[in-house]
Amino acid sequence: MASFAGIRKRLGGPIYAVADQCIYSASQLLLSFALARALSPSDFGIASAFLAIVSFQYILHTAVVHEPLLIKRYYADRSAAWWSWALVAAVSIAGFLVWQFTGFPGPLNWAGVALIIGYEIFWISRSILLVGRRFAVLCTSGILISIGYVAVLIGLKPASWTQALLWIAVIQLPFSILIAAGLKNVIAPLPAPVGAQTLTLKEASAYGWKASLSQLMSWIMTGGAILLLGSSADSAQGGLLKIYITFLLPMQYVLLALGYYILPKLAASWKSDRRKDAFRLFIKFVVFGFVVAEIGGVLLGLLGPYLVVLAFGKNYGGMDFSPFFYAPAIFGLTMCLRTGFRAAGRPGALLWCSIFGALVFGACMVMAKPPVSYIQTINAMTLGFACMAVAMMAWLFFIMRAPAAPQAR
């Protein structure tokens, strides 16, 4: 019995973490399915462009709020929490306004602002619950929001993409109750434990700007591409690219969950006398993630033409799924490699590798013959991520070979 209890204790955390991310991934899949069925292909393309802004916001939230809090577990005080969250919302709204005034035709649409506020409330509640290891509440909240997406978008049948986005924003608002209930669990208790490390606004911002810029390079190749195609004359191309990336979400979130689960352990031992053990764990994680992503990609390549009709409807039955036989493995590899840079505390190195991949993607898009289609964009995106992965592996090799930093006494 003791042996069984030990196994359950070791496996319980990863299983719950993956289960939560699978449910969250399913909620985002259901959102895409419901939007595609509720809206015309043109409106779905425009809605996808607005949701691409939200994916940019998710990058900021992950870099400024989620990852720093996951590593340090406590904010130094309540104001550090509020200002960190406000910073993410403010920068996201500023980015949205710039896009509205420069790239999207028509008057300012406040549905985008409502969407940003609603999603930030939802993501903050998830970060707080994850730090507190409240996996049951996390999974339950993911199921509830999935039901909300389907019930509102399919049941109420919004007449336009504007109404659909406003309803999505409203669905997120009840999660503010979870924030209020869990805020005390992420504020450093008084008196603070001896040697406790707490997160300040300055530390969150310093970590966040490099980490978010590196993630921004990846967003340029995914959400940014959706934004570009969705804002074009043929906005339906943005919807097709959104569908392709939607099928990548389950694999992305599962690998992200496993990476975040091992991140505190890797970060603690990366520069200690247990460094070799950390490297072995990291290499196993990378190999595992690559294999899982490739298996998933092959299955999607074979089943994709049937799944897309089942999930999104007959309007999207002619999609080309051939890139799935190789693209998800490359994308999954970069997801796993990022964990090593985070654990080593090298967001600057990760940023340079990401810039390299984004530049390759940008060059491919510039050389693409107009009008640019979703399949041209997918090929450019895959090449960009492949070049990024090569640069990341080369850089990590030198990080691994470098001597460990002396420990503070």
Side-chain angles (χ1 to χ4, degrees):
M1 292 297 293
S3 176
F4 175 75
I7 293 173
R8 185 174 61 180
K9 184 177 180 181
R10 285 194 300 270
L11 296 181
I15 289 174
Y16 284 130
V18 171
D20 163 59
Q21 286 295 338
C22 287
I23 292 172
Y24 176 70
S25 174
S27 73
Q28 301 309 300
L29 283 170
L30 286 173
L31 172 59
S32 296
F33 298 162
L35 277 173
R37 290 183 174 274
L39 303 175
S40 68
S42 178
D43 272 9
F44 177 59
I46 296 174
S48 298
F50 274 82
L51 288 173
I53 291 289
V54 173
S55 68
F56 165 74
Q57 176 193 359
Y58 181 69
I59 290 171
L60 293 174
H61 174 85
T62 299
V64 177
V65 175
H66 190 73
E67 289 179 3
L69 185 58
L70 193 65
I71 293 172
K72 291 207 169 180
R73 301 187 68 84
Y74 290 107
Y75 283 107
D77 50 53
R78 193 178 294 267
S79 65
W82 291 121
W83 281 110
S84 296
W85 303 343
L87 178 64
V88 174
V91 174
S92 302
I93 292 172
F96 162 72
L97 293 176
V98 168
W99 171 64
Q100 271 273 254
F101 286 124
T102 61
F104 190 75
L108 177 66
N109 197 302
W110 292 102
V113 176
L115 202 65
I116 288 171
I117 299 300
Y119 261 103
E120 188 58 26
I121 290 173
F122 177 53
W123 286 328
I124 289 172
S125 70
R126 285 182 52 80
S127 296
I128 291 176
L129 292 172
L130 186 59
V131 169
R133 303 289 185 180
R134 299 182 63 188
F135 292 111
V137 181
L138 271 169
C139 294
T140 302
S141 64
I143 293 171
L144 289 175
I145 201 166
S146 300
I147 295 172
Y149 289 149
V150 175
V152 168
L153 295 176
I154 299 298
L156 297 182
K157 296 183 177 164
S160 66
W161 59 267
T162 305
Q163 292 182 13
L165 295 182
L166 286 173
W167 275 116
I168 293 170
V170 169
I171 291 171
Q172 324 281 344
L173 296 181
F175 290 92
S176 56
I177 298 173
L178 291 177
I179 296 175
L183 182 61
K184 65 179 183 297
N185 297 324
V186 294
I187 303 298
L190 295 175
V194 178
Q197 293 183 338
T198 54
L199 183 64
T200 65
L201 174 62
K202 182 178 180 180
E203 289 171 333
S205 303
Y207 178 92
W209 79 267
K210 288 183 180 178
S212 58
L213 281 178
S214 65
Q215 287 279 18
L216 177 62
M217 298 301 109
S218 296
W219 178 83
I220 288 173
M221 295 185 278
T222 52
I226 294 174
L227 193 64
L228 176 65
L229 295 184
S231 304
S232 66
D234 188 4
S235 60
Q237 293 295 316
L240 294 173
L241 183 60
K242 170 67 174 177
I243 290 173
Y244 175 86
I245 293 176
T246 297
F247 277 105
L248 291 176
L249 287 178
M251 176 266 296
Q252 172 188 350
Y253 287 129
V254 168
L255 295 180
L256 198 64
L258 290 174
Y260 281 147
Y261 183 80
I262 68 173
L263 179 58
K265 182 178 180 180
L266 285 178
S269 58
W270 197 271
K271 296 180 180 180
S272 70
D273 54 359
R274 295 174 294 158
R275 194 161 172 263
K276 290 184 178 180
D277 293 335
F279 292 158
R280 291 192 195 99
L281 176 61
F282 172 64
I283 291 171
K284 289 178 182 178
F285 170 62
V286 171
V287 173
F288 171 79
F290 179 80
V291 172
V292 168
E294 177 58 24
I295 292 173
V298 171
L299 291 175
L300 284 173
L302 296 173
L303 302 177
Y306 308 100
L307 293 176
V308 72
V309 174
L310 180 65
F312 292 94
K314 294 181 180 179
N315 288 333
Y316 306 97
M319 286 188 65
D320 181 0
F321 273 78
S322 59
F324 271 105
F325 288 102
Y326 55 88
I330 296 172
F331 184 71
L333 180 62
T334 60
M335 291 291 298
C336 294
L337 290 170
R338 287 179 184 276
T339 302
F341 282 87
R342 293 175 180 129
R346 302 295 291 270
L350 178 57
L351 173 59
W352 285 113
C353 296
S354 302
I355 289 174
F356 176 58
L359 288 175
V360 172
F361 167 78
C364 291
M365 292 295 286
V366 169
M367 292 187 293
K369 185 177 179 180
V372 179
S373 67
Y374 77 97
I375 198 67
Q376 288 175 295
T377 307
I378 290 169
N379 291 329
M381 179 176 65
T382 303
L383 182 59
F385 277 115
C387 293
M388 184 191 304
V390 170
M392 292 166 78
M393 286 188 289
W395 206 304
L396 279 171
F397 174 78
F398 286 110
I399 291 175
M400 290 179 181
R401 291 287 299 273
Q407 298 297 301
R409 297 183 180 275

